[in-house]
Amino acid sequence: MPPLFALHRMKLLTLLLVSNFGLMLHLSAGDMKPLSVWDWLDIVGEGGSAMLLLIWIGLLLKSRPAGRVTDLLFAGLGCLFFSLLMDLADEFVRMPDSVSWDAWLESGPMPVGFILLTLGIYHWHREQLAISAQMRNRERLYREHLHFDTLTPLGGATYLKNQIEMSIKQAVTERQPLSLIMLDIDAFSVINRDYGQAEGDRVLQVITQLVLLNLREHDLLCRLAGDRFVIVLPNTLESQAAAIAHDLALSIKHLAYRTILQGERLALSATTVAVMARQEGAECLLERLNTRLAHAKQTSLFRSA
Amino acid sequence: MNAGAVRQRAWYEREARFIPAHHQPAGLIDLALMRGIESHRLLRGTGLFYQDILGGRQFISAEQFLRLIDNVRQLRGGDDCSFLFGQQLLPGHYGHASHALRHAQDLQQALDRLVLLRRRLSPLLTPRVRVDDRYVYLHWFDSCGAGAREVFLMEACMTAVTAMCRWLSGGPLPWEYQLRHSQPDYIEQYWVHLSEAVRFGCPQNVMRLPCEYLFKPWPHASLTVGQVAEQTGLDELAAADEMAPSLLEALFDYIHKHVRQPLGLERLAEAQGMSVATLKRKLKHHDTHFLQQLDQVRTYVALDLYLSKGFTSDEVATYLNFNDKANFRRSFKRWTGLLPSEVPGRLA
């Protein structure tokens, strides 16, 4: 894992040196206990905990960019690890009664570690709030990374279905209307075929950003499949949703999209439809929305022909 | 029939290495690589190396192709990979066969060429075309023992034909789809890549289109290029000794031809010039068994007679040599999951 070491080389080195120093100190001051008096239960318990902490540290460093929050969490976990390691060293090395610093080495870092960890988690929480603000219009109330689409940073069909289910319940209890918009890019297969799949993927990403800019605070955009998107609009009547849908189609039509390689201008357009939820389940609502889109596509096809 | 002559490449089996790795498998590999799957994990267990594929001389068996599909399904985990794979499958870049398809004058010719050159265009599923006075039907059958990958392959092949027709005819065609498997929870992929007119839990894997689309001329097709490409494609297959059908296709054809006669495993084995034990072993190797193959053909024939030719259920029973009407109804229910009387409502 080169990135792990490149980013956090100093931190890992410090941890290694400090734990090594602690062990050396133990070995130089005391003498080894005979095998017969080793307390295996303590060894497994303390050693296992130290190992797990090491794994946590690894996962933490692997999953987070460097920064203040990472430093705090690392320092906290590092202190806990050190304290457990000293505890473990105690099991193998008998200290003379005149030495009292070993108790300090064992117990001192523990509370410090917990305080640092608490601080770290608190700031992590603040950081998460900041990130959530950036996820506006892309997720609501519920996070499940497994349901996220890998191409566009949006929730996929499963996430969408859960969200519709939740929104329907909420709409019923609050006696508020709920509407959905479906958006489908016209002739998307032509872009894929003529300009390649990479270009098609980029079109999807650009459209995603464009639509996100056009949404209100509480609207949610998800990618249903392929070039088809669905927007959940709580507290919205069908007529309002239809107006938003129309605006979205217009904004896509006016987008001056240019291809990656040649910078060629591609004229994009999308078909959008809106429906309001009646007394029905998420599946049923989605199916009705999809049927309406199919009709809309057919009519536009006839009109162009 | 002479047993010695039969053994001379009357069919090929799933270990036969006849699929150029840089044709359809390459499309799947590219898709996976683009989605960030590493090539060595992708090719694990297939006995293939990426370098060899780049050499352009590697031929792989249906078995290896299926293993590759397994790997993609496991590693990618996405519901859309079969559809994305299918979208670029046809006409594809498979030499003369693709050219012949690309320059088809109309749907009729495209489907003819798809069936004729299927060894290049659709190596894992066999397309069979049937026409009645209202619809043209494109059936898809397993040709090399697809087993659990059947769903993936059906999604890919149906998407392939749909996308090809949309491109070459200049607009979407109103295909309707019937699929044997039950409705998956990613139904939205079918909506986007096929259409809303998809039905699951049907007796056969088939797509159909009103007949009038068969002869609508397709723009941008060159008659001469198409003709020459078709002939050259056929010559190429003949030169490579690849005109023979797959084992499952050969069995289908034989059963279809003799569907009105009582047919057992013994007669089928004898006709193919092998022992009963060998045939059984081969069928097992292709993830199927005799009764499944027999039922598949009888379903195909019965539904054709019943829905397309206007036979009554009694007439179908007589045609298929069922003396006992109750027995026929039971068998029909086993083949299709429906009673004869339910068929017009569900499948028509």
Side-chain angles (χ1 to χ4, degrees):
Chain A
M1 320 174 258
L4 178 66
F5 289 108
L7 268 177
H8 306 289
R9 199 181 293 137
M10 283 310 288
K11 288 195 206 85
L12 290 169
L13 205 63
T14 315
L15 185 67
L16 189 76
L17 283 178
V18 170
S19 12
N20 210 22
F21 176 71
L23 287 180
M24 286 299 168
L25 220 54
H26 265 85
L27 287 174
S28 63
D31 9 69
M32 289 296 287
K33 284 183 185 175
L35 191 63
S36 53
V37 298
W38 285 12
D39 184 347
W40 285 103
L41 186 67
D42 275 10
I43 291 175
V44 171
E46 287 157 11
S49 310
M51 277 307 297
L52 281 179
L53 270 168
L54 217 49
I55 292 175
W56 293 3
I57 290 175
L59 287 174
L60 174 82
L61 294 185
K62 187 98 179 103
S63 62
R64 288 190 50 90
R68 194 164 50 103
V69 178
T70 312
D71 289 346
L72 279 172
L73 290 172
F74 173 79
L77 288 176
C79 285
L80 295 186
F81 170 73
F82 182 75
S83 167
L84 278 169
L85 191 71
M86 293 304 104
D87 217 3
L88 182 66
D90 226 27
E91 301 298 324
F92 299 105
V93 180
R94 192 197 314 280
M95 295 306 244
D97 289 342
S98 58
V99 174
S100 58
W101 49 257
D102 63 318
W104 277 101
L105 271 191
E106 249 182 69
S107 312
M110 186 74 88
V112 179
F114 274 117
I115 291 172
L116 287 173
L117 200 57
T118 311
L119 270 176
I121 291 179
Y122 172 73
H123 285 288
W124 188 9
H125 157 75
R126 300 290 299 267
E127 178 195 87
Q128 204 53 55
L129 288 182
I131 293 176
S132 296
Q134 299 205 349
M135 291 290 284
R136 198 174 74 97
N137 293 136
R138 293 197 264 144
E139 73 170 11
R140 277 175 25 134
L141 306 174
Y142 180 79
R143 175 167 295 171
E144 173 54 72
H145 69 276
L146 290 178
H147 296 163
F148 263 69
D149 186 48
T150 41
L151 178 65
T152 59
L154 296 177
T158 315
Y159 187 78
L160 172 71
K161 284 172 197 166
N162 288 339
Q163 283 291 330
I164 297 181
E165 206 86 63
M166 274 166 57
S167 303
I168 289 177
K169 272 191 204 129
Q170 197 187 356
V172 169
T173 46
E174 291 176 6
R175 296 173 171 278
Q176 289 289 338
L178 168 76
S179 294
L180 297 188
I181 291 177
M182 192 175 264
L183 185 154
D184 188 283
I185 303 171
D186 297 333
F188 183 68
S189 58
V190 178
I191 299 174
N192 260 337
R193 207 179 272 275
D194 291 357
Y195 297 89
Q197 202 153 1
E199 192 68 58
D201 285 357
R202 183 151 171 271
V203 168
L204 291 179
Q205 285 163 344
V206 170
I207 298 257
T208 299
Q209 295 303 329
L210 181 70
V211 173
L212 284 174
L213 287 173
N214 279 287
L215 293 182
R216 305 166 306 177
E217 174 83 26
H218 297 292
D219 303 338
L220 171 76
L221 174 65
C222 292
R223 182 176 173 217
L224 184 67
D227 58 328
R228 205 165 286 187
F229 298 84
V230 172
I231 304 153
V232 182
L233 308 148
N235 302 352
T236 310
L237 289 165
E238 184 155 324
S239 56
Q240 293 170 307
I244 294 176
H246 182 66
D247 288 345
L248 286 176
L250 277 184
S251 77
I252 289 172
K253 198 169 180 181
H254 290 140
L255 174 70
Y257 180 85
R258 291 180 195 282
T259 60
I260 314 169
L261 287 180
Q262 273 80 28
E264 187 185 338
R265 171 83 158 81
L266 281 188
L268 299 175
S269 68
T271 308
T272 54
V273 291
V275 299
M276 194 165 78
R278 297 185 204 136
Q279 313 283 320
E280 62 199 334
E283 297 275 334
C284 206
L285 177 58
L286 209 51
E287 206 173 314
R288 194 156 61 85
L289 184 61
N290 191 57
T291 317
R292 186 169 293 191
L293 181 83
H295 283 308
K297 286 228 134 185
Q298 225 151 35
T299 353
S300 72
L301 211 67
F302 272 125
R303 210 173 296 147
S304 66
Chain B
M1 208 181 288
N2 182 322
V6 166
R7 216 159 271 130
Q8 218 181 26
R9 304 242 185 179
W11 69 79
Y12 67 92
E13 291 174 35
R14 68 196 308 236
E15 304 89 352
R17 288 176 171 247
F18 71 96
I19 307 170
H22 54 285
H23 284 183
Q24 297 195 350
L28 191 57
I29 291 171
D30 281 349
L31 184 69
L33 292 181
M34 225 174 80
R35 304 265 147 162
I37 299 177
E38 294 158 39
S39 63
H40 70 274
R41 294 182 66 195
L42 180 64
L43 297 175
R44 182 180 296 159
T46 59
L48 294 170
F49 294 97
Y50 191 55
Q51 283 307 319
D52 296 345
I53 297 172
L54 288 179
R57 289 174 203 285
Q58 181 90 348
F59 285 79
I60 71 172
S61 66
E63 208 160 33
Q64 287 172 303
F65 196 177
L66 290 170
R67 178 64 204 246
L68 183 65
I69 290 174
D70 278 346
N71 286 355
V72 172
R73 280 169 61 202
Q74 272 165 22
L75 293 170
R76 165 92 178 87
D79 303 324
D80 57 351
C81 54
S82 55
F83 297 95
L84 294 179
F85 171 54
Q87 269 189 342
Q88 43 181 350
L89 216 45
L90 294 178
H93 310 281
Y94 324 129
H96 304 300
S98 293
H99 265 105
L101 208 53
R102 165 70 185 82
H103 289 284
Q105 299 292 298
D106 50 28
L107 180 63
Q108 153 100 6
Q109 203 169 43
L111 292 179
D112 282 350
R113 286 178 180 164
L114 177 66
V115 172
L116 210 54
L117 299 165
R118 62 181 182 278
R119 209 110 161 205
R120 289 277 175 271
L121 298 171
S122 174
L124 295 182
L125 291 185
T126 308
R128 286 177 193 272
V129 179
R130 191 164 65 80
V131 182
D132 66 18
D133 48 5
R134 285 181 304 156
Y135 291 103
V136 50
Y137 302 84
L138 178 57
H139 289 259
W140 294 98
F141 292 100
D142 177 17
S143 61
C144 291
R149 299 77 151 205
E150 192 179 286
V151 176
F152 182 99
L153 291 172
M154 288 300 162
E155 289 166 354
C157 287
M158 289 192 176
T159 307
V161 171
T162 309
M164 177 186 77
C165 291
R166 183 172 48 217
W167 180 43
L168 295 179
S169 76
L173 301 185
W175 286 102
E176 293 171 55
Y177 308 84
Q178 292 180 9
L179 288 149
R180 272 159 47 91
H181 55 271
S182 53
Q183 179 169 329
D185 47 10
Y186 49 92
I187 173 77
E188 61 279 350
Q189 300 288 347
Y190 285 84
W191 291 344
V192 171
H193 297 285
L194 298 176
S195 85
E196 295 67 43
V198 189
R199 271 183 283 180
F200 297 93
C202 296
Q204 308 191 88
N205 293 306
V206 57
M207 44 202 283
R208 72 177 188 194
L209 189 69
C211 267
E212 72 234 39
Y213 290 93
L214 266 181
F215 303 106
K216 277 194 181 160
W218 285 1
H220 316 302
S222 158
L223 178 69
T224 321
V225 173
Q227 290 276 348
V228 172
E230 180 185 325
Q231 194 49 51
T232 327
L234 283 174
D235 292 347
E236 191 188 67
L237 281 179
D241 198 7
E242 288 188 359
M243 292 300 277
S246 78
L247 174 68
L248 295 184
E249 285 169 9
L251 294 182
F252 186 105
D253 290 337
Y254 184 85
I255 300 173
H256 189 242
K257 203 167 154 193
H258 300 89
V259 75
R260 300 198 61 185
Q261 297 146 25
L263 188 63
L265 188 60
E266 292 79 15
R267 256 197 66 195
L268 187 63
E270 196 190 341
Q272 305 300 320
M274 52 182 141
S275 71
V276 171
T278 308
L279 179 59
K280 262 189 176 165
R281 187 170 45 75
K282 284 188 191 297
L283 284 174
K284 193 170 176 204
H285 190 51
H286 284 78
D287 223 343
T288 179
H289 49 85
F290 172 67
L291 191 63
Q292 198 180 342
Q293 294 301 307
L294 183 64
D295 284 353
Q296 179 175 280
V297 180
R298 293 200 288 192
T299 310
Y300 178 77
V301 173
L303 285 176
D304 176 39
L305 294 174
Y306 200 62
L307 288 174
S308 300
K309 307 249 158 62
F311 278 38
T312 65
S313 80
D314 285 353
E315 284 166 341
V316 178
T318 316
Y319 185 90
L320 290 177
N321 254 319
F322 279 84
N323 296 322
D324 179 4
K325 302 286 180 291
N327 188 12
F328 172 72
R329 286 165 64 84
R330 242 192 332 274
S331 298
F332 193 86
K333 176 96 182 169
R334 193 183 75 229
W335 305 337
T336 64
L338 300 169
L339 288 172
S341 54
E342 294 170 328
V343 164
R346 296 286 299 278
L347 301 179

